[in-house]
């Protein structure tokens, strides 16, 4: 068995993107827990010829006792190096109801997750999720029950209260925690994809995201769709387009969208979305060879988020989407093509995961970095979420919160009076 500092367990493993990256960084993944049968079969495909024998468990984490798994792996408490995984994102995504712990997918998962942390007491934790997790409320109140004529929001109903609850719970178990929204294009992934990353380490001081390697904040240019597809041989299955959609996309140039349609067809094509507010840049778009690809999602043919090839009137194929997500070229995905697209769209890009894994090993070996500044892209972003970058250090077992973004009046951090002259804002 690898040394404790290099051993890892993967929860919510999906099709294994996070695990592939961690293993590339030098972690030994001892066990993978996943409930989806197609993902399980994909993980089996990826394990063929793998030098490390991994225990593959098909179950929800709340169905598997952590003490049993620890005994099966022969690990003492505190011996595991890393507990990693991305819990279901639906309770936090801004395209859904954002019910947080009122959503059963979160109300059962996160207490079970904390049970795994308590049982294994790993040296480090890694959580990936949609960035909405950082601004979600612990207790959801429907919009129709807010505002004039309704009681003021309780603290647990304010934005960011879920994050504060989770970080406080981890602090109670002895973990200092950092959180941030990472743009994976800044780490060598040929894709614009913003995700929440939470890193916990046992001890007083937190581990932060690694510095960007690409883009304005790095030393290398962003990788592009052209870079991603250059090594794709067999394209694999392709999600078909309806005849109507094909006719529309044939009118759109590379890098264009609905605004490039002729006036006579633009409004009819957009329907009610024509009158909506916002940029709507993803509607009826055709990809650009020389820019990072937009976020890979599970439905490449949806009109508002489609991934249409720059030159051919078709969706990006299954293996092209996998290449944009930086899966190895030999990767294959079990189940139907639609399932394969979904598995790839839900995955953590292995190239990004490898940088996270490397940074954690660096930290655990004793190397420390100073707290990072809020990234320039976040300061200029139209993303209005708040409290998205910060950390919690431990002092006498109690968490002290530090923020890098201005809090708003409807946020859990609103008791803090910000000062732009201060690099960080501490919340006792």
């Amino acid at each position: 068995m690898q040394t404790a500092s290099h051993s890892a367990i993967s929860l919510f493993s999906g099709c294994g993107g996070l695990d592939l990256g961690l293993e590339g960084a030098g972690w030994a993944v001892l066990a993978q827990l996943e409930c989806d049968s197609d993902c399980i079969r994909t993980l089996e495909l990826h394990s063929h010829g793998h030098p490390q024998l991994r225990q593959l468990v098909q179950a929800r984490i709340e169905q598997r006792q952590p003490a049993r798994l620890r005994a099966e792996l022969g690990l003492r408490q505190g011996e595991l190096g890393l507990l990693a995984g991305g819990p279901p994102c639906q309770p936090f995504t801004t395209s859904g109801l954002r019910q947080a712990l009122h959503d059963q997918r979160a109300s059962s998962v996160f207490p079970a997750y904390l049970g795994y942390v308590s049982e294994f007491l790993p040296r480090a934790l890694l959580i990936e999720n949609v960035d909405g997790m950082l601004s979600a409320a612990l207790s959801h109140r429907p919009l129709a029950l807010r505002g004039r004529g309704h009681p003021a929001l309780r603290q647990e109903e304010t934005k960011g209260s879920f994050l504060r609850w989770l970080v406080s719970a981890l602090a109670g178990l002895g973990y200092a925690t950092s959180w941030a929204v990472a743009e994976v294009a800044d780490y060598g992934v040929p894709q614009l994809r913003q995700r929440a990353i939470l890193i916990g380490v046992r001890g007083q001081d937190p581990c932060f995201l690694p510095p960007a390697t690409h883009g304005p904040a790095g030393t290398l240019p962003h990788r592009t769709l052209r870079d991603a597809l250059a090594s794709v041989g067999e394209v694999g299955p392709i999600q078909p387009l309806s005849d109507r959609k094909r006719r529309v996309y044939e009118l759109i140039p590379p890098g264009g969208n609905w605004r490039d349609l002729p006036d006579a067809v633009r409004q009819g094509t957009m329907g009610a979305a024509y009158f909506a507010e916002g940029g709507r840049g993803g509607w009826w778009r055709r990809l650009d060879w020389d820019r990072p690809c937009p976020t890979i999602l599970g439905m490449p043919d949806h009109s508002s988020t489609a991934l249409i090839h720059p030159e051919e009137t078709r969706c990006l194929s299954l293996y092209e989407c996998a290449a944009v997500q930086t899966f190895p070229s030999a990767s294959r995905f079990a189940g139907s093509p639609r399932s394969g697209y979904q598995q790839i769209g839900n995955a953590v890009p292995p190239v990004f995961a490898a940088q996270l894994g490397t940074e954690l090993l660096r930290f655990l070996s004793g190397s420390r970095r100073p707290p990072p500044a809020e990234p320039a892209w976040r300061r200029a972003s139209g993303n209005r979420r708040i409290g998205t970058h910060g950390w919690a250090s431990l002092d006498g077992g109690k968490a002290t919160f530090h923020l890098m973004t201005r809090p708003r009046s409807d946020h859990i951090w609103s008791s803090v009076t910000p000062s732009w002259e201060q690099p960080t804002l501490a919340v006792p």
Side-chain angles (χ1 to χ4, degrees), residues 1 7-9 11 30-33 55 57 61 64-81 83 115-123 175 202:
M1 182 184 293
S7 62
I9 290 175
L11 306 179
L30 306 181
Q32 296 171 302
L33 277 74
Q55 182 169 336
V57 180
I61 69 165
R64 183 75 167 193
Q65 290 297 321
R68 175 184 169 189
L69 180 62
R70 185 169 68 81
E72 291 171 348
L73 295 174
L75 293 172
R76 297 186 300 274
Q77 239 184 4
E79 186 177 13
L80 181 68
L83 186 67
Y116 271 78
V117 177
S118 178
E119 177 63 37
F120 281 92
L121 291 178
R123 296 184 68 197
Y175 290 86
R202 217 165 62 223

Side-chain angles (χ1 to χ4, degrees), residues 57-243:
V57 180
Q58 183 174 356
R60 297 175 58 89
I61 69 165
E62 58 268 42
Q63 297 171 333
R64 183 75 167 193
Q65 290 297 321
R68 175 184 169 189
L69 180 62
R70 185 169 68 81
E72 291 171 348
L73 295 174
L75 293 172
R76 297 186 300 274
Q77 239 184 4
E79 186 177 13
L80 181 68
L82 175 64
L83 186 67
C89 67
Q90 293 90 345
F92 308 108
T93 178
T94 54
S95 61
L97 296 177
R98 302 198 75 198
Q99 292 187 314
L101 290 191
H102 281 197
D103 189 310
Q104 197 230 343
R105 290 165 292 192
S107 64
S108 60
V109 162
F110 277 93
Y113 174 82
L114 292 172
Y116 271 78
V117 177
S118 178
E119 177 63 37
F120 281 92
L121 291 178
R123 296 184 68 197
L125 312 166
L126 179 61
I127 294 176
E128 182 268 357
N129 212 290
V130 294
D131 60 351
M133 183 184 80
L134 303 183
S135 59
L138 181 63
S139 180
H140 176 72
R141 185 191 292 191
L143 291 176
L145 300 180
R146 305 184 195 186
R148 181 181 298 180
H150 298 287
L153 292 176
R154 302 189 305 274
Q155 186 178 58
E156 64 269 22
E157 294 175 326
T158 57
K159 292 180 179 179
S161 55
F162 172 80
L163 173 65
R164 184 159 183 164
W165 168 82
L166 178 60
V167 172
S168 297
L170 293 175
L173 294 171
Y175 290 86
T177 306
S178 72
W179 62 90
V181 176
E183 171 53 78
V184 302
D186 291 346
Y187 295 91
V189 179
Q191 177 189 176
L192 298 172
R193 186 184 188 93
Q194 296 176 7
R195 286 297 186 269
I197 302 297
L198 189 148
I199 300 172
V201 288
R202 217 165 62 223
Q204 293 184 335
D205 301 315
C207 173
F208 301 104
L209 278 178
T213 56
H214 291 66
T219 59
L220 299 169
H222 280 145
R223 297 184 64 220
T224 66
L225 179 65
R226 190 185 304 276
D227 296 330
L229 302 192
S231 60
V232 175
E234 178 190 357
V235 298
I238 300 173
Q239 177 65 28
L241 292 171
S242 67
D243 289 341

Side-chain angles (χ1 to χ4, degrees), residues 21-40:
L22 292 175
E23 289 174 335
W27 291 94
V29 178
L30 306 181
Q32 296 171 302
L33 277 74
E34 172 56 46
C35 63
D36 182 84
S37 58
D38 284 346
C39 287
I40 287 287

Side-chain angles (χ1 to χ4, degrees), residues 215-272:
T219 59
L220 299 169
H222 280 145
R223 297 184 64 220
T224 66
L225 179 65
R226 190 185 304 276
D227 296 330
L229 302 192
S231 60
V232 175
E234 178 190 357
V235 298
I238 300 173
Q239 177 65 28
L241 292 171
S242 67
D243 289 341
R244 172 181 172 269
K245 287 184 176 181
R246 287 183 58 84
R247 289 193 297 270
V248 173
Y249 282 117
E250 285 170 356
L251 300 173
I252 298 173
N257 60 21
W258 65 277
R259 294 186 181 87
D260 296 287
L261 293 170
D263 292 340
V265 299
R266 187 183 300 144
Q267 183 172 336
T269 298
M270 288 289 286

